[in-house]
Amino acid sequence: QGTRDHPPAQAALRERLLSAVVSCFKRHGAAAIDTPVMELRETLVGKYGEGAKLIYELQDQGGELLALRYDL
């Protein structure tokens, strides 16, 4: 349950790989954006609609309904 933790060695490798990808994208004119991975379910339902198959629904331990966007 929950999100995954990465040990220091794996986090360092991920950071180096991500840095290489980002620098390549920037060389080719891409612009960075930062979007939330998890959002309140009601926010995504408002964007995509109740019957949309574009979100993965979650419920936290406190009962809050959360969702993941399909593209993240």
Side-chain angles (χ1 to χ4, degrees):
Q1 291 189 358
T3 57
R4 184 182 315 177
D5 292 334
H6 299 284
Q10 189 178 16
L13 175 60
R14 288 172 51 96
E15 181 65 30
R16 284 196 309 272
L17 291 172
L18 184 57
S19 178
V21 170
V22 168
S23 66
C24 179
F25 279 31
K26 285 183 178 181
R27 277 196 309 273
H28 294 280
I33 63 169
D34 189 18
T35 60
V37 173
M38 286 188 250
E39 294 189 40
L40 291 174
R41 181 187 178 279
E42 64 189 47
T43 301
L44 289 181
V45 168
K47 289 180 184 178
Y48 300 122
E50 184 71 39
K53 299 291 184 191
L54 302 176
I55 59 175
Y56 299 100
E57 295 182 1
L58 307 165
Q59 187 172 10
D60 71 9
Q61 293 177 350
E64 184 96 58
L65 292 176
L66 304 171
L68 297 172
R69 290 183 13 204
Y70 73 98
D71 55 349
L72 299 175

